[in-house]
Amino acid sequence: MPRLDRIAPMAVQTERRTSEQARLGRDLFALAQRLDDALVVLQPPAPTYANPAAQRLLERLEGPATDERCGERLLALMPFRLGDGEHVNRHATVHLTTAAGERCILQVTEVPLGDGVPGARQSRCLLLRDVTVMQQREEELQRRHAELQQAYLRLAGAQEQLLQSEKMASIGQLAAGVAHEINNPIGYVNSNLATLQDYLRNLLTLLHAYERVVPPGSAIEAATEIAELRERFDLDFMLRDLPELVAESREGIERVTKIVQDLKDFSRAGRGESWVMADLHKGLDSTLNIVWNELKYKVRLEKSYGELPAVECLPSELNQVFMNILVNAGQAIPERGHITIATGHDGGEVWVSIRDDGEGIPEAVLPRIFDPFFTTKPVGRGSGLGLSISYGIVAKHHGRIEVDSAAGRGTTFRVVLPVRQPRNEAEAAA
């Protein structure tokens, strides 16, 4: 027989476990009663429990329910048969229509209960969460996201138009100077062509005289005539001058071609331009060629170019930055002054410094120079967009613009750019 002193403690432990299980069962029941999600417990062959949230969901779907078959009626609405998932959890999204004709989206989770013995008819728990509002919010978020994308594209287009408009306005301000730069070589090319035409006429006359030497009996008279023509036309000088005229004319045509090409490169729209490895010195020289007439009568230009690697950039946009800074530098010099352009390379960055000894920028104005439409220039001399657009272009290149200035001691703009763009950013921008 078992000893009583051993049986008594076991009975106490069993009673304690039973009490704890009973208390846990009461707590779980209270939790199920308070759940916002519908909960149905199935003990084959029929549902055994449906919480108040399940009752409310059924009323929403089918109208007021007065019988006790809430669980069965909810199961009948499911598009799958319970228990198909064997002994594993199963998740599904179910789209239904409420009694009021509204959309209802349920996230359904089927969970087996018990020890999962093969072949046994397990109890199962069905949890139904109404995610209609969440789904509607997600759809609304997607719709707003699509609207934001469209707005961003429109804003990007407007920014591109603004950039191009400012570029065209800058060219318009410089048009007279560019025309003057083109007219100079065109003028001496035109003069050279007139002189060439006279030389050609004289040479043809001389050639005709040489032809008359051929008939017999006229050699002496023809030789005298040729000598007189040679002296009158100064043939020796003409033969020396011809190559120089042709070379000078070719140089003038090449200069015009360069100016026109620089103007074309500067003014072309940037939308189709791709990120390329470019020579910043070439861009600076090209920009100087465009703005030189604005500067040459009052500025002594000094260049201090360092060794620069090729920089990954949008060349025409950087050219506009250089042009804006150079034009501002020229306008800051009232009569005569200096502009110094320096470049350098420091690690993974390159820099371009443009310094003038003009009037400088007052300390009170300095924080606002990159604000759109802010300008201290007289009406008609600036739109207030040049530095703002330049700031945006440099930021687009993941660089920065540093400014050092004070009234009466000139201004230095320093543009710092990375040699290579961050890959994901550059590819997205391209």
Side-chain angles (χ1 to χ4, degrees), residues 22 25 31 76 78 85-86 103 156 198 218 305 313 330 333 362 399 407 418:
L31 176 62
M78 297 299 105
E86 295 291 335
R103 186 173 58 158
D198 290 340
S218 60
Y305 287 175
C313 64
I333 297 173

Side-chain angles (χ1 to χ4, degrees), residues 18-80:
T18 303
S19 175
E20 290 176 353
Q21 290 175 354
R23 185 172 65 252
L24 179 59
R26 289 193 299 271
D27 292 343
L28 290 175
F29 179 77
L31 176 62
Q33 290 291 99
R34 290 176 171 82
L35 275 179
D36 291 330
D37 297 335
L39 177 67
V40 178
V41 178
L42 302 95
Q43 178 68 46
T48 59
Y49 171 76
N51 70 349
Q55 182 71 31
R56 292 193 296 270
L57 177 60
L58 182 62
E59 290 179 359
R60 185 180 167 204
L61 293 173
E62 293 190 344
T66 57
D67 57 16
E68 300 297 330
R69 300 172 55 246
C70 173
E72 292 182 21
R73 292 171 63 181
L74 276 177
L75 294 180
L77 298 174
M78 297 299 105
F80 54 85

